[in-house]
Amino acid sequence: MSIIDTLRNIYGEKVKATVDKYNEIWIEIPSLLLREVLALLQRNGYDHLSTITGHDDGERIRLIYHLIKFGTKSTEMVNIVTYADRNNPVVPSMINEYPSALVYEREIFDLLGVKFEGHKGLKRLLLPEDVPEDFHPLRKDFKVQE
Amino acid sequence: MYSIDGICIIFKVNIPCNLDGESFREGRKMALLSKLRKWAFKRSLWAFHLNTGSCNGCDIEILDLFTPKYDVERFGIKLVGSPRHADVLVVTGPITKKSLERVKRVYEQMPDPKYVVVVGTCGSTGGLFQGSYNLLGSVDKLLPVDAYVIGCPAKPEAIIDAFVKLMEKIKSGA
Amino acid sequence: MSVRIPIGPIHPMLKEPINFVFYVEGETIVDAEPNIGFVHRGIEKLAETKTWFQNLYLLEKVCGICSSSHQGCYAQCAERIFEVEPPERALYIRTLMWELERLHSHLLWLGVIMHEIGFDTLFMYAWRDREKVLDLVEMISGRRVGYSINIIGGVRRDISYDMLVKAVEVANFIAERAEHYEKIILKEETVINRTQGVGYLSKADAIRLNAVGPTVRASGVKRDVRGNMPYGIYDETPFDIVIDDGCDVLARIIVRIREMVVSAEIIKWIAFQIPKSEDIKLKKITPFTKPPENEAVSRVEAPRGELFYYIKSNGSLNPERVKIRTPTLANIASIIHMVKGHYIADIPPIVAGIDPCMSCMDRVIIVDVNKEKKKVMTYDEIRRYSIKWYKNNYKVIKEERR
Amino acid sequence: MPWGTLLREAIRNLVNKPATVNYPLIQTKVPSGFRGILSFDINKCIGCGTCERVCPTNVIKMIPNEKTRLKKAPRFELSKCVFCGSCVDVCPTKAITFTENYHTAVIRKNELDIIPE
C-alpha cells in the first residue's frame, strides 16, 4: 500500500499498520507525531476528515482520525489511531489542516475531557454551561447522578 | 388586580390574569364567564409546537396535521409562531437539561387558560432514553399535562384524537 | 462594532433545536457561532448499556426523518463486527427502504425551504405528494416513520409482489412530480431572487470545509458514498452522482430534486431485479449471540450526507463504544463560512439550505445599536421581515449580485 | 412565471378528488401488518420471560401468575412502548401480537396497560 510504505520508511517502527477485510487501513502512531502525519496525509490527497472518535478504554484515551482520499478511480480510507494519557489528555489540535475539526474537537473535549492545544474556542459543545467542570459522560468511571 | 378572564377570551386579548388555575376554578360563581369561555373554546384551539429534544419523528407527524392530507384547520386548530397567542402547548421529546430553562419560559408566556398535550412515548415516559444523564425524562415532571399520545412516533390520527379528547375535557369544564 | 444576535426560536417547522449567535454590523453578518446540544440525549452512552439488538431500535431514533439510514448503517457496521454477510434479497429490501426514505426526506426538505422563502403553496404540494411515499412505506414496514426493517444479518419483513408494484407506481409518480417542480422552480422569479447567489460555497471551500451530501455536490464536487465507496448493492444499481456547479441555495434545491429522480430509477430497478429467495435473515444471529472482539467503521449516504458509524466490541452482549457522526454536524463549519457577508434576511434560506434538523426555543434579540431599541423577534417574524425586506429593496440587491 | 405548468396543475387539482382525509368521521383503514397496540393471549403464554429481556424500553415486567407453565406472565406498561415489535418477533408461542388499533391518545398514562388476569 502506498501510504503505509511512505509512512514506514519515514517513521520506521513507530508506525504499526493493518488492513482489514473492507480495505480500511488502521495506522497506530504516538500522539507526538500526530500533526506531522496528518499534514503529510493531507498533502497526499487525504483531504476529507470524516470525524474524530474519542474512546476511553479504561487505561488510556484512544483518538481515531477517520480520513478519506477521494481518488478519481478508487477511494482510500485511513484511520489514524493515537493514544492520550487518561489523567491529563492533551493532543495537538487539527484546526488549520481540517477546519471542520472545530466542532469535532469541541465535542470530544465536552464528552471526554481531552484538551486540544491550539484550538481557539475550546468550549463545551453539547452539554449545558452550568455542568460541573469534570463532568465528562463518556468516561468509563462516569456515574449517572439522578 | 382581578382580570376579566371571560372578556379577554372574546377579544383574544391577553390581559395578565393573576388568578392561577386552581383559584380560577374556585371562582365558580362567575358562571356567565365560564360559559362564555366554554363557548369560545369550542371553536378553535391555537397550538404552539415545542421541541424539547425530540428526534423529529413526532414533530413531522404534528406538521403533517397541517398539510393537505389531514388539514386540522377544519377544526380551527392552527399552528402559531409564538406561545403568546397559543392555547395548547404541543410538547415533543424528553426535556433535555439544556432546553429545561426555555421550556419553563415558553410555558409561562402562554395566556392563562392553557393546556399541554404531550406527543410521543419519550415525552410521556422517557421511552427509549430512560436513564440518560442529560434528560429530565417525562414532561409531566415539569408541566401539568392534559393529554398524552403514546407512539414512537404517534400516528397523526392519534394526535387528532388527543385534540378531540382535549376539547371534550374543556367542554366538561375540567 | 459588531452586534451579537442569538437566533431562535427557529420556526417549529424545523425540528432539532440549534442556536446560532450571529455577529452583525448593520444588516450584514460578520461572524457566526454554533451552539448545539438541545437534543443531546446521550445516545452514545445509552448505546453502551443496551444489547446489540436493542441498539437497533435506539439508534433508529437518532433522527426521525433519516431513521432507516441510521439503522441500516448500524446494522451494516454490526454485520462487519459479527463478520457475517446478509442474504442478497435482504440487501435489496434494505436498499429499497433507504431510497424510499431519500424520496420522502427530500420532498420534506423541498417544502421546508419553500416555506422559508414564503412560497407556501409549493410547501403544501410537496408534503401532499410525500404522503403517497408514507402510505407505501406504512404498507411495507407497518409504520409511517421509523420503519425498523433492518436487523443484524438481514431484514425483518419480506416484501410481497403487490408492494413492489405499488413501489414502481409511487416511483413513477414522484419522478414525474420532481420534473414538474424543477420546471416551476427554474422559471419562478421569487424563488430565483431569494436563492440565487445566496449562501455561496465555492468548490475549493466545500472541499476544505469537508462539507457532505447535497451541500458539497451543489458546489460541483463529485462526492457521494454510494458512488465513491459503494456498499450493499450500490455497485450494481444504475446510479450516477448528481452534481451542479451553482454553489448556492438554488443549486442545492436542483441537486436534491434531481436526486429524487435518480432514487426513483433505483427503486424501479430494485423492483424488477430483486432475487426470488425465501431467506431474508441469517438464522444463526439471534438477539442473544455474542460477537467476536473487534472494531468496525461503516458509512452510508443519508439524505443529508455522509453518515458515519464506528463501533468497538469487547465480545460481550453490549457494544463497548458506538460513535455516530450525523451529516448535519459536518455541515456546520460550512454554514459559518456561507453566512458571512450576507444580510439578516438571508439567514432562513442559508440555514435551511443545508437541510439541518433544527428548531429552537430562544428568542431572536436584535439590538439596534444607534437607536438603542431592543427588538425581540421570533424566527417566524424574522421570516416575514425578510420577505417584506426583500420585497422593497430587491432591485438594489439584484444589481449587486449581477 | 411558468404559466403553462401552473395552469395544467390548477386544472388537474380541480379535477382530482380532494387530498384531505375526513378523519374523525371516516376511520382510516390501516394496511395489514400495521404495528398498533399490542394484544396478549394468556393461554398461549408459557411464561419464559424472553420478551422481558429483549424489550429496549423495559415495558414488560414478569409478575407471578397461575395460568402459565412457569407460573409467571408479562405485565405490559404500554406508556413506555415504542412499538418496535422485538417482543412479537421473539415470542416462541406467538402470544404477543400487533393489533391494527392506532388510537393511542390517552388522558392518564396507565389507560393502555395490559395486565394478565
Side-chain angles (χ1 to χ4, degrees), chain C residues 61-221:
Chain C
K61 289 299 152 189
V62 171
C63 160
I65 317 164
C66 38
S67 60
S68 188
S69 303
H70 276 278
Q71 195 184 44
C73 193
Y74 171 76
Q76 185 175 291
C77 203
E79 275 147 18
R80 289 184 179 180
I81 284 196
F82 278 82
E83 279 150 3
V84 287
E85 270 303 314
E88 194 62 20
R89 187 177 173 93
L91 280 179
Y92 274 77
I93 296 176
R94 187 180 285 177
T95 311
L96 176 73
M97 297 311 278
W98 274 332
E99 290 311 321
L100 282 175
E101 176 168 76
R102 202 182 311 281
L103 281 190
H104 97 75
S105 173
H106 280 339
L107 276 170
L108 179 146
W109 177 81
L110 185 64
V112 162
I113 191 82
M114 284 305 144
H115 180 71
E116 288 308 320
I117 49 179
F119 196 175
D120 276 352
T121 39
L122 198 63
F123 158 54
M124 291 295 174
Y125 280 149
W127 281 49
R128 181 196 61 180
D129 301 338
R130 181 174 163 265
E131 291 294 334
K132 290 223 166 18
V133 181
L134 293 183
D135 295 344
L136 166 67
V137 152
E138 187 175 40
M139 193 162 82
I140 295 174
S141 76
R143 194 164 54 184
R144 290 161 52 94
V145 175
Y147 330 129
S148 36
I149 195 120
N150 303 306
I151 54 170
I152 300 171
V155 182
R156 265 179 21 168
R157 285 182 176 205
D158 205 340
I159 194 160
S160 69
Y161 179 70
D162 58 355
M163 287 179 194
L164 287 174
V165 166
K166 189 114 180 28
V168 171
E169 206 182 286
V170 166
N172 286 333
F173 172 75
I174 297 288
E176 182 252 330
R177 292 304 290 180
E179 264 117 25
H180 172 71
Y181 291 138
E182 187 175 353
K183 241 184 285 168
I184 285 188
I185 283 171
L186 283 181
K187 295 207 194 68
E188 176 57 43
E189 292 107 32
T190 53
V191 173
I192 291 175
N193 284 343
R194 284 301 304 278
T195 54
Q196 195 155 35
V198 172
Y200 189 81
L201 186 69
S202 69
K203 182 166 182 172
D205 285 339
I207 294 174
R208 184 176 60 84
L209 294 170
N210 293 138
V212 283
T215 312
V216 80
R217 291 195 284 277
S219 302
V221 183

Side-chain angles (χ1 to χ4, degrees), chain C residues 229-299:
Chain C
M229 304 165 271
Y231 51 93
I233 56 165
Y234 277 113
D235 38 22
E236 299 145 27
T237 59
F239 168 74
D240 49 2
I241 303 179
V242 171
I243 61 169
D244 183 304
D245 41 21
C247 305
D248 53 10
V249 176
L250 182 63
R252 280 166 216 137
I253 299 175
I254 300 302
V255 161
R256 284 189 168 94
I257 291 179
R258 292 208 185 110
E259 267 184 11
M260 279 200 269
V261 178
V262 170
S263 291
E265 286 310 315
I266 295 178
I267 290 170
K268 276 183 268 183
W269 183 84
I270 287 177
F272 293 125
Q273 302 291 334
I274 192 160
K276 310 245 170 323
S277 82
E278 279 324 305
D279 52 357
I280 51 167
K281 56 178 176 225
L282 296 174
K283 294 287 176 292
K284 60 184 167 79
I285 304 281
T286 70
F288 304 106
T289 49
K290 288 196 166 79
E293 187 183 320
N294 55 19
E295 56 188 349
V297 165
S298 119
R299 289 179 175 84

Side-chain angles (χ1 to χ4, degrees), chain C residues 197-398:
Chain C
V198 172
Y200 189 81
L201 186 69
S202 69
K203 182 166 182 172
D205 285 339
I207 294 174
R208 184 176 60 84
L209 294 170
N210 293 138
V212 283
T215 312
V216 80
R217 291 195 284 277
S219 302
V221 183
K222 232 170 154 51
R223 280 190 182 175
D224 185 329
V225 185
R226 296 173 293 178
N228 303 109
M229 304 165 271
Y231 51 93
I233 56 165
Y234 277 113
D235 38 22
E236 299 145 27
T237 59
F239 168 74
D240 49 2
I241 303 179
V242 171
I243 61 169
D244 183 304
D245 41 21
C247 305
D248 53 10
V249 176
L250 182 63
R252 280 166 216 137
I253 299 175
I254 300 302
V255 161
R256 284 189 168 94
I257 291 179
R258 292 208 185 110
E259 267 184 11
M260 279 200 269
V261 178
V262 170
S263 291
E265 286 310 315
I266 295 178
I267 290 170
K268 276 183 268 183
W269 183 84
I270 287 177
F272 293 125
Q273 302 291 334
I274 192 160
K276 310 245 170 323
S277 82
E278 279 324 305
D279 52 357
I280 51 167
K281 56 178 176 225
L282 296 174
K283 294 287 176 292
K284 60 184 167 79
I285 304 281
T286 70
F288 304 106
T289 49
K290 288 196 166 79
E293 187 183 320
N294 55 19
E295 56 188 349
V297 165
S298 119
R299 289 179 175 84
V300 152
E301 183 65 25
R304 284 160 191 73
E306 171 215 355
L307 173 63
F308 173 86
Y309 265 70
Y310 160 80
I311 301 180
K312 179 167 188 357
S313 91
N314 50 18
S316 75
L317 255 182
N318 308 70
E320 192 188 342
R321 173 75 169 104
V322 177
K323 164 74 182 173
I324 306 158
R325 200 269 292 135
T326 57
T328 311
L329 198 64
N331 283 336
I332 280 185
S334 317
I335 285 190
I336 298 171
H337 172 76
M338 279 192 272
V339 167
K340 287 183 182 131
H342 281 277
Y343 303 106
I344 298 179
D346 292 329
I347 291 178
I350 294 175
V351 169
I354 64 152
D355 186 3
C357 285
M358 274 200 314
S359 87
C360 182
M361 275 68 66
D362 305 25
R363 288 195 165 273
V364 176
I365 303 161
I366 295 186
V367 180
D368 205 331
V369 178
N370 30 39
K371 288 207 279 309
E372 285 311 320
K373 184 161 60 52
K374 194 171 177 198
K375 211 162 47 172
V376 180
M377 296 163 74
T378 70
Y379 191 90
D380 203 37
E381 283 144 6
I382 230 185
R383 175 178 304 108
R384 279 198 292 278
Y385 159 80
S386 56
I387 294 167
K388 202 158 23 45
W389 191 81
Y390 255 92
K391 205 175 283 172
N392 39 34
N393 48 26
Y394 80 92
K395 289 190 189 56
V396 169
I397 300 158
K398 219 167 181 176

Side-chain angles (χ1 to χ4, degrees), chain B:
Chain B
M1 188 265 292
Y2 183 72
S3 86
I4 299 107
D5 189 41
I7 305 293
C8 85
I9 284 302
I10 295 172
F11 304 113
K12 277 279 175 202
V13 167
N14 302 325
I15 299 173
C17 155
N18 55 14
L19 279 178
D20 55 31
E22 279 62 30
S23 61
F24 178 78
R25 285 189 198 92
E26 269 68 55
R28 275 272 168 221
K29 58 190 182 308
M30 303 296 293
L32 167 69
L33 282 182
S34 68
K35 229 199 262 61
L36 267 176
R37 188 182 102 173
K38 266 205 233 59
W39 166 78
F41 260 74
K42 215 172 20 220
R43 285 298 170 273
S44 77
L45 279 177
W46 282 13
F48 177 72
H49 163 244
L50 179 61
N51 176 336
T52 62
S54 140
C55 76
N56 317 335
C58 294
D59 306 279
I60 294 295
E61 296 295 83
I62 291 170
L63 297 169
D64 280 347
L65 294 182
F66 301 96
T67 53
K69 180 170 182 188
Y70 294 101
D71 197 4
V72 254
E73 302 234 357
R74 304 176 269 147
F75 315 126
I77 299 168
K78 182 171 172 302
L79 200 61
V80 283
S82 113
R84 292 185 189 283
H85 320 138
D87 310 318
V88 181
L89 184 66
V90 183
V91 185
T92 62
I95 300 178
T96 57
K97 287 210 175 92
K98 204 165 191 178
S99 51
L100 187 67
E101 205 43 53
R102 291 163 178 99
V103 174
K104 284 196 204 116
R105 195 193 310 172
V106 166
Y107 184 71
E108 273 138 18
Q109 279 158 3
M110 290 171 66
D112 180 43
K114 52 191 168 188
Y115 303 92
V116 176
V117 171
V118 168
V119 177
T121 309
C122 57
S124 325
T125 53
L128 276 162
F129 310 113
Q130 291 157 21
S132 162
Y133 55 87
N134 195 25
L135 295 183
L136 188 66
S138 57
V139 177
D140 50 24
K141 286 182 185 156
L142 190 74
L143 309 173
V145 178
D146 294 296
Y148 298 91
V149 190
I150 309 292
C152 188
K155 205 163 162 42
E157 282 88 346
I159 305 172
I160 295 178
D161 285 351
F163 276 115
V164 168
K165 279 195 171 150
L166 191 63
M167 286 185 190
E168 274 146 20
K169 193 173 176 183
I170 297 171
K171 231 169 280 168
S172 67

